[in-house]
Amino acid sequence: HFNRNLKTPIPKLQVVLLGSRGVGKTCVGNTILGCKEHDGKRTVHSEVRHGSVDQTEVTVVDSPGWWKGFPAEDTPQAVKDEMQRSMFLCPPGPHVFLLVIDADTSFNAKHLDAVTSHVELLG
């Protein structure tokens, strides 16, 4: 007999946050981890934070963002390097890549192309 109300906790979850600059990746990470602090500074290097949500050990890697609407070829190499490095900051690797977009502006084909070219950097 299967009990639908019985939930088995996930022991570990590793998330990498991706997105353009200023979309709120750090705030999303704070929400996931249940934190309220935010210094308002732009994320320059990929940053790892750990926390616990219910019975799940959560790792959130906040990566620097690219310029909104610009393809990866126009992104500085240092930002691209940090994006790629973010995958290795939660060994053996992330369970989830969470793409953060701002919902208060339109998301058009130019933005989709920019996202696609940046995500392709991750292999």
Side-chain angles (χ1 to χ4, degrees):
H1 186 283
F2 180 73
N3 183 346
R4 289 185 173 169
N5 295 325
L6 181 64
K7 293 182 180 180
T8 304
I10 299 169
K12 189 172 190 179
L13 180 63
Q14 300 188 149
V15 179
V16 173
L17 300 171
L18 301 172
S20 60
R21 288 177 61 175
V23 295
K25 292 182 300 297
T26 302
C27 289
V28 167
N30 287 345
T31 300
I32 291 170
L33 294 172
C35 303
K36 292 186 176 155
E37 78 259 0
H38 180 55
D39 58 14
K41 293 181 182 176
R42 184 170 64 92
T43 304
V44 178
H45 301 286
S46 293
E47 298 175 6
V48 181
R49 293 184 294 152
H50 303 279
S52 183
V53 178
D54 291 330
Q55 298 176 30
T56 303
E57 177 188 329
V58 180
T59 299
V60 174
V61 180
D62 190 2
S63 66
W66 57 83
W67 285 104
K68 186 175 181 179
F70 286 85
E73 64 190 31
D74 295 333
T75 298
Q77 188 62 44
V79 172
K80 292 189 278 193
D81 289 347
E82 282 297 314
M83 282 182 58
Q84 291 171 326
R85 187 174 85 90
S86 69
M87 295 187 304
F88 302 100
L89 295 176
C90 50
H95 296 107
V96 176
F97 288 101
L98 183 59
L99 176 64
V100 180
I101 59 171
D102 44 353
D104 60 348
T105 60
S106 66
F107 187 82
N108 58 34
K110 182 178 178 182
H111 298 123
L112 178 59
D113 289 343
V115 166
T116 302
S117 69
H118 284 90
V119 171
E120 286 174 350
L121 295 172
L122 302 175

